[in-house]
Amino acid sequence: MPTDNLLLEFLTGKFVTIVGFVAAMLAVAAYFKAAQTEHEPLIQKEWLRLARYAFLGMFVAIVINGLHLLYLILTHQFQYNYVKSYSDTTLNIFYLISTFYAGQEGSFMLWMFYGALLGLFVIRIARDYEAPVMTVLTLSEAFLLSMIMGIQVPGIGVIGSDPFALVGGEVPKEGDGLNALLQNPWMVIHPPTLFLGFSSLIVPFSFAIAALWKNRYDDWVRPALPWILFSALTLGTGIMMGGYWAYKVLGWGGYWGWDPVENSSLVPWLMIVALLHTTLVQKKNGSLKRFNLFLAILSYSTILYSAFLTRSGVLGDTSVHSFTDLGLYNQLVAFCAVFFLGGLGLLLWRFPRIPSAGSTDSLYSREFFLMSGSLVLMLIGLVVLAGTSAPLIDQILGRPISKIEPDFYNKTTLPLAVLIGFLSAIGQLIWWKRIDRDTLIKNLAIPISLAMLMTSVLVLFGMKEIGMIVLTLSASFSLFANAQVFLKIAKGNWRFAGGSLTHIGLALMLLGIIGSGKYDESRFVELPVGHPVQVFGRELVYAGIEKIDGAKNGFKILVREGTKEHTAMPVMYETRRMTVQNPDVIHSLTQDFYLAPVNLLRRPSGHRFVLAKDEAQTHDGYTVKFTGFKMYQDPSALNPASSQPIKIGANVEVTKDGVTERVEPTLTIQAGAAPEMEPAALQTNPAVKVLLVNIDANNRKVMLELQGLPSATMVPTETLIVEASIKPFINVLWVGTYLVFLGFCLSIYRRWQERHLRHTRQAQTRPAAPLQKTGSNESLVAS
Amino acid sequence: MLKNPKVIVGSGVVAAVLLWLAFTAQEWASSAIGYATLSEAAASKKVCYVKGYWVKEKPADLSGSVFTFYMRDESGAETRVVYRNGKPNNFEEATSIVVQGKYENGTLYAKDILVKCPSKYQSEAADKAKKI
């Protein structure tokens, strides 16, 4: 073993963490001094030099730690608890790498690595903002480092949980392995993207604190804007990847479940997107300074609060998720408190000094709509935050603990989503300049008519709920309005089209969510092996198990739809930790057909007959004849879409030794539930039962089963239960996510260029103080 | 004063927000599902979460599509549980279960059964994966 050497182990593990922590604290102190000595350039220069070296030292420590942990994972050093808990020798290289962030400690390390890396960029480009911004950023790094220190402090207790802790006792031969659900290509890239988003939020936050600290309320938004866009892009992409992974891999049929973990990354994203909109207002006319500072503080605070909710074990009792408490509760509370209360306190203290620009904008200004949009986004964020915190609120108030159902979020955010649609439509139509009411109405004419047309068509096709109709109207209005703006701008300068492209994507996402979330249909279907079953206009035949990768059970299902035939292969397998159920999806342009395995029933069974009307078959001396159906409801009144159970009986004649007996087994079918069979026993021999297993309505055949025959071969028959669902227009949602992504990239590109443009222009027109300042900073970077 | 469109729009917005807040509060009350013991669940007549354990000694139908078994809640009371979507995976291995359902006439009709397994999941992604 390479790490048998205790000294080496000490030098590369916990010790490096502590060195990194000390370096971070040193950098915080030095940056603080540098920020406070701006009026004495020579002294500031010295402090800055020290601070940068200290920060670099911290960065190196974090990188060494990261490479060390990665090395331990790749070389399967199971004497380390972290390696043992999350990996084993069977994993391929990609999944071994994702083991790195499978646990809390590793994900903290990823978070701090990104923070430090972004810090290096900030040092290079923040110029005169460097000292105050880096003070705050490095303080956050110090907190993160403390989470993985794992040292005993007298009077306080253990600080942090050390990822390099040893197992103790005998070295295990094999690790526990990586959670099977994480063994998916999406999971290799989803957490790193999400964590990049998490950590990047520190930069806008730090700029806001720097603005408050230095009383520079106007110009902080300019350098912060590319960072805000970057956070919105990475966090948003991470969230969308998570949704796609949930849909394709988890098999619970959806991409979004309002789960605490999902919510806690959504809320900061909403805050940063709200901030994005109002910084544009501030750049334009100098208003909303306080609101922007507040939003920047809120966005990083909500990330920290999310980390607290999901990592402290506080949701442990109310969530299915067994969040493990690593004893970081107090540390996480302190982290949240320092950044949220510190930031808020600073804002309140400076509040009277922040100049408020009396906004003279009319209601028809773009700024008014940007601001309203931000407010609505913030409201959505706050209501989701409140719902997610419900168990914590109950705990604090000493009430019995309760949990908020997903429907709460659907209902309360619906009116706000409608508003988002309308605001994003009108806000984009009022392009840049103030326009009067008449021009606005002229611009509105085409998109609003198209939106009404589209909504009417959907209503004709059966859309009934008023909420959905209004949301469709608003989303399609936004779609057409933004498309109109996009075409106009893209003709001129495509670089400016990022905003409208993002909004087109957003509108498509809303429409896709309506289609796939509200108008999806789902049914539990029992598939006896080899027997065709009709569901949603398709014929499914379960053809048996095929082994995938050696040990996994793939259920081969033939799906026939009209003349088209597909093979679906949902997968289910046991791991040491859980049963994994991977769905399979048959994509088509307008809808997805989604098959999630639920359960495989193997039961000893009797003989099965598939009979047409008046057809008879003999098995083992029993002749079984199907003479017709008995309907328990009026067939003409039956609505297949209703949730009313449908009970059907089969009239069956069983003849044995010349004695004929009539029995009537029944089958009850209900949407959303597995069918219920009621067997009928023979009077002459009650041990023998007849079951109505299935009905093939197209060919007017039934499947009957004769159970309890003395000579019955006890070969178990397999019945696969799947949840089949139809997801209409889910592709619209995915296309929307791609456009949102592209739009953000385009906007970043433009703002990044603008940052340079603005800088050169400033240098040309105002060669006085700012240039000297930045100039001196540049020389510092060079030195 | 009233001619100022800002004032009109502003008060409209405030009214709308207040209305929405009232709606939210009402939705909150109706969608908060509390954790309860069986006796509390019986008294509340609402859907509750009941945390407890599978009573393995009592009769259970584990193979059918209608899954029935007996559970004991944390106060020691026992009840029959009926769940229409078949036995959840990992049920036998569960250290404890949480049944979301309505307690009526001595039977707990489950809408959902959450299975808590002995393994520990730490990362968010893994936690998310546990969604049933």
Side-chain angles (χ1 to χ4, degrees):
Chain A
M1 291 273 169
T3 48
D4 271 353
N5 187 328
L6 261 177
L7 181 70
L8 187 67
E9 185 183 298
F10 184 69
L11 278 176
T12 49
K14 193 185 280 189
F15 179 71
V16 176
T17 312
I18 294 167
V19 168
F21 179 74
V22 172
M25 292 310 284
L26 187 65
V28 171
Y31 269 127
F32 182 81
K33 289 300 279 185
Q36 293 293 61
T37 51
E38 265 176 342
H39 47 283
E40 294 159 284
L42 284 176
I43 300 173
Q44 190 200 21
K45 198 173 158 180
E46 286 308 308
W47 282 120
L48 266 184
R49 189 205 296 273
L50 176 64
R52 283 178 189 161
Y53 278 127
F55 187 83
L56 200 65
M58 180 205 79
F59 179 76
V60 171
I62 290 173
V63 170
I64 289 179
N65 257 353
L67 291 176
H68 182 204
L69 184 62
L70 202 57
Y71 170 77
L72 296 179
I73 292 170
L74 293 179
T75 52
H76 306 300
Q77 312 242 0
F78 297 127
Q79 71 270 37
Y80 289 90
N81 193 31
Y82 194 84
V83 182
K84 185 228 157 218
S85 303
Y86 298 107
S87 74
D88 61 32
T89 50
T90 63
L91 295 168
N92 72 29
I93 178 89
F94 294 107
Y95 297 149
L96 276 176
I97 292 171
S98 46
T99 298
F100 185 90
Y101 40 81
Q104 274 207 44
E105 296 91 339
S107 58
F108 271 130
M109 289 171 76
L110 189 65
W111 184 345
M112 68 180 77
F113 168 71
Y114 281 139
L117 191 67
L118 294 173
L120 292 183
F121 281 95
V122 172
I123 290 176
R124 280 191 67 88
I125 58 183
R127 299 171 199 276
D128 51 336
Y129 269 107
E130 180 189 340
V133 167
M134 289 301 292
T135 309
V136 182
L137 190 146
T138 318
L139 185 66
S140 161
E141 292 290 296
F143 266 104
L144 289 169
L145 275 158
S146 78
M147 300 290 171
I148 60 159
M149 275 205 300
I151 54 167
Q152 183 82 35
V153 177
I156 299 178
V158 181
I159 290 196
S161 168
D162 182 16
F164 299 101
L166 295 168
V167 171
E170 205 178 322
V171 175
K173 292 257 181 326
E174 180 63 296
D176 298 343
L178 180 65
N179 184 329
L181 284 169
L182 304 185
Q183 297 183 31
N184 176 274
W186 283 102
M187 279 327 259
V188 180
I189 52 170
H190 159 63
T193 315
L194 202 64
F195 272 97
L196 182 56
F198 278 11
S199 19
S200 67
L201 283 172
I202 183 67
V203 185
F205 177 88
S206 305
F207 268 105
I209 299 296
L212 286 167
W213 185 352
K214 294 281 142 200
N215 284 312
R216 297 171 63 171
Y217 305 110
D218 279 309
D219 58 353
W220 73 277
V221 291
R222 182 180 48 81
L225 189 55
W227 292 102
I228 295 169
L229 273 165
F230 179 76
S231 297
L233 170 75
T234 44
L235 197 54
T237 310
I239 294 170
M240 292 189 284
M241 278 179 182
Y244 195 69
W245 166 75
Y247 182 72
K248 290 287 280 184
V249 180
L250 277 191
W252 43 270
Y255 37 81
W256 194 259
W258 297 107
D259 184 88
V261 177
E262 293 169 319
N263 290 351
S264 58
S265 44
L266 176 71
V267 172
W269 186 77
L270 289 166
M271 298 304 172
I272 199 77
V273 173
L275 175 64
L276 172 62
H277 287 87
T278 38
T279 42
L280 294 178
V281 177
Q282 183 176 341
K283 268 189 74 187
K284 185 83 178 143
N285 65 10
S287 59
L288 300 179
K289 290 189 183 73
R290 293 163 178 166
F291 187 58
N292 282 336
L293 292 164
F294 177 65
L295 276 178
I297 291 167
L298 206 57
S299 57
Y300 196 60
S301 305
T302 46
I303 276 288
L304 296 179
Y305 178 67
S306 303
F308 164 72
L309 275 186
T310 53
R311 288 162 186 268
S312 66
V314 71
L315 293 179
D317 249 12
T318 53
S319 173
V320 237
H321 318 296
S322 335
F323 294 97
T324 321
D325 181 10
L326 291 181
L328 299 177
Y329 191 98
N330 293 330
Q331 256 174 294
L332 287 161
V333 170
F335 198 1
C336 288
V338 166
F339 278 75
F340 179 61
L341 296 180
L344 199 66
L346 193 59
L347 176 64
L348 290 177
W349 183 46
R350 295 290 204 202
F351 207 76
R353 294 177 64 174
I354 304 172
S356 64
S359 168
T360 49
D361 284 313
S362 81
L363 288 174
Y364 305 111
S365 72
R366 183 170 175 260
E367 284 70 34
F368 173 78
F369 285 92
L370 282 169
M371 190 193 75
S372 314
S374 282
L375 275 173
V376 174
L377 286 169
M378 194 181 80
L379 275 183
I380 298 178
L382 291 179
V383 76
V384 174
L385 192 69
T388 314
S389 313
L392 185 65
I393 298 170
D394 289 328
Q395 227 163 311
I396 291 169
L397 297 180
R399 288 196 303 220
I401 288 174
S402 63
K403 206 178 124 191
I404 298 294
E405 285 298 282
D407 218 28
F408 167 76
Y409 304 103
N410 292 335
K411 283 186 179 153
T412 52
T413 55
L414 176 71
L416 301 179
V418 171
L419 275 179
I420 293 280
F422 282 120
L423 291 171
S424 68
I426 302 173
Q428 282 281 320
L429 280 175
I430 308 172
W431 182 246
W432 293 117
K433 54 194 173 293
R434 250 172 255 176
I435 52 173
D436 57 41
R437 204 188 321 203
D438 294 338
T439 334
L440 178 62
I441 289 170
K442 214 180 284 174
N443 278 337
L444 285 177
I446 299 174
I448 199 92
S449 349
L450 283 175
M452 286 167 97
L453 182 73
M454 181 169 152
T455 311
S456 326
V457 169
L458 288 172
V459 169
L460 284 180
F461 272 97
M463 191 180 265
K464 284 192 196 74
E465 295 83 353
I466 183 75
M468 289 301 122
I469 294 172
V470 176
L471 184 60
T472 309
L473 185 67
S474 126
S476 51
F477 177 39
S478 176
L479 173 67
F480 295 121
N482 280 290
Q484 177 180 321
V485 174
F486 176 77
L487 292 176
K488 208 180 285 176
I489 301 170
K491 249 184 262 171
N493 186 349
W494 56 268
R495 263 177 309 178
F496 287 81
S500 49
L501 193 61
T502 307
H503 288 105
I504 293 175
L506 177 81
L508 287 176
M509 280 178 73
L510 282 176
L511 290 170
I513 289 169
I514 297 171
S516 61
K518 182 71 189 179
Y519 293 97
D520 61 332
E521 292 179 85
S522 174
R523 196 172 295 168
F524 283 87
V525 190
E526 222 170 294
L527 299 175
V529 65
H531 184 73
V533 175
Q534 305 287 330
V535 62
F536 297 129
R538 292 161 173 84
E539 187 182 84
L540 307 187
V541 186
Y542 168 47
I545 291 181
E546 258 179 38
K547 288 286 175 192
I548 296 176
D549 302 340
K552 300 175 182 175
N553 285 336
F555 303 114
K556 195 175 174 188
I557 301 172
L558 302 171
V559 182
R560 197 174 297 126
E561 187 189 0
T563 53
K564 283 179 287 180
E565 193 164 320
H566 306 273
T567 308
M569 185 80 88
V571 174
M572 189 153 84
Y573 57 98
E574 300 282 332
T575 69
R576 243 167 306 172
R577 296 175 170 193
M578 63 199 300
T579 308
V580 180
Q581 292 145 293
N582 298 142
D584 200 1
V585 189
I586 296 172
H587 304 278
S588 68
L589 201 58
T590 52
Q591 62 180 20
D592 275 6
F593 183 59
Y594 192 93
L595 282 170
V598 176
N599 229 327
L600 184 69
L601 304 178
R602 279 200 180 97
R603 54 183 166 213
S605 91
H607 187 78
R608 286 197 168 174
F609 306 86
V610 177
L611 300 173
K613 192 168 183 288
D614 294 327
E615 187 186 342
Q617 277 178 21
T618 306
H619 177 79
D620 212 6
Y622 287 87
T623 303
V624 178
K625 186 178 174 190
F626 167 54
T627 57
F629 287 112
K630 170 163 185 197
M631 301 306 286
Y632 284 80
Q633 293 96 340
D634 177 13
S636 60
L638 286 181
N639 174 9
S642 82
S643 59
Q644 279 248 288
I646 299 168
K647 190 174 177 186
I648 298 161
N651 292 319
V652 179
E653 289 178 12
V654 182
T655 311
K656 163 88 171 161
D657 304 328
V659 184
T660 298
E661 200 178 313
R662 305 186 75 139
V663 291
E664 192 215 299
T666 64
L667 180 68
T668 308
I669 303 165
Q670 185 174 15
E676 262 177 76
M677 285 175 266
E678 199 182 309
L682 295 186
Q683 278 175 352
T684 47
N685 181 4
V688 177
K689 289 177 181 144
V690 183
L691 273 82
L692 176 57
V693 180
N694 216 323
I695 294 165
D696 181 353
N698 281 13
N699 302 314
R700 305 199 60 78
K701 284 185 176 178
V702 289
M703 181 191 263
L704 299 172
E705 187 172 304
L706 204 56
Q707 283 187 347
L709 298 179
S711 68
T713 46
M714 294 302 278
V715 179
T717 41
E718 283 174 8
T719 300
L720 177 69
I721 301 179
V722 292
E723 187 182 3
S725 35
I726 298 277
K727 307 277 173 193
F729 298 111
I730 194 155
N731 284 335
V732 176
L733 171 66
W734 303 134
V735 169
T737 60
Y738 299 144
L739 292 186
V740 168
F741 178 79
L742 279 179
F744 268 121
C745 289
L746 207 56
S747 296
I748 291 180
Y749 177 66
R750 172 196 157 197
R751 298 289 170 191
W752 191 249
Q753 280 201 325
E754 213 169 69
R755 184 190 62 93
H756 288 300
L757 285 175
R758 191 65 58 92
H759 185 69
T760 23
R761 202 170 65 210
Q762 263 183 5
Q764 281 163 0
T765 52
R766 282 191 288 153
L771 182 68
Q772 274 172 4
K773 243 180 200 165
T774 52
S776 69
N777 261 357
E778 262 165 353
S779 66
L780 264 178
V781 175
S783 70
Chain B
M1 164 99 174
L2 271 177
K3 282 198 177 145
N4 185 347
K6 271 194 176 179
V7 174
I8 300 170
V9 170
S11 35
V13 166
V14 169
V17 167
L18 287 179
L19 214 74
W20 175 78
L21 278 178
F23 170 67
T24 304
Q26 178 231 322
E27 279 299 318
W28 181 290
S30 65
S31 50
I33 296 189
Y35 277 70
T37 60
L38 282 171
S39 52
E40 286 164 353
S44 79
K45 295 190 172 63
K46 284 201 301 190
V47 173
C48 293
Y49 286 109
V50 182
K51 198 176 167 195
Y53 311 92
W54 175 27
V55 185
K56 295 183 185 179
E57 298 76 33
K58 294 214 172 174
D61 181 1
L62 303 175
S63 62
S65 57
V66 176
F67 168 51
T68 59
F69 66 100
Y70 278 83
M71 79 179 280
R72 181 184 298 128
D73 76 356
E74 285 179 314
S75 67
E78 287 183 11
T79 180
R80 197 168 87 101
V81 183
V82 175
Y83 181 54
R84 294 184 63 92
N85 290 329
K87 178 177 69 69
N89 285 296
N90 294 33
F91 184 78
E92 285 95 336
E93 292 85 49
T95 49
S96 67
I97 47 171
V98 179
V99 175
Q100 183 195 350
K102 213 171 181 179
Y103 191 54
E104 281 173 321
N105 310 324
T107 304
L108 185 57
Y109 293 94
K111 274 175 69 184
D112 203 359
I113 298 178
L114 316 173
V115 174
K116 285 222 170 195
C117 283
S119 58
K120 286 179 181 172
Y121 297 94
Q122 281 199 357
S123 76
E124 279 110 314
D127 288 322
K128 195 161 140 184
K130 275 287 289 168
K131 184 161 191 78
I132 296 173

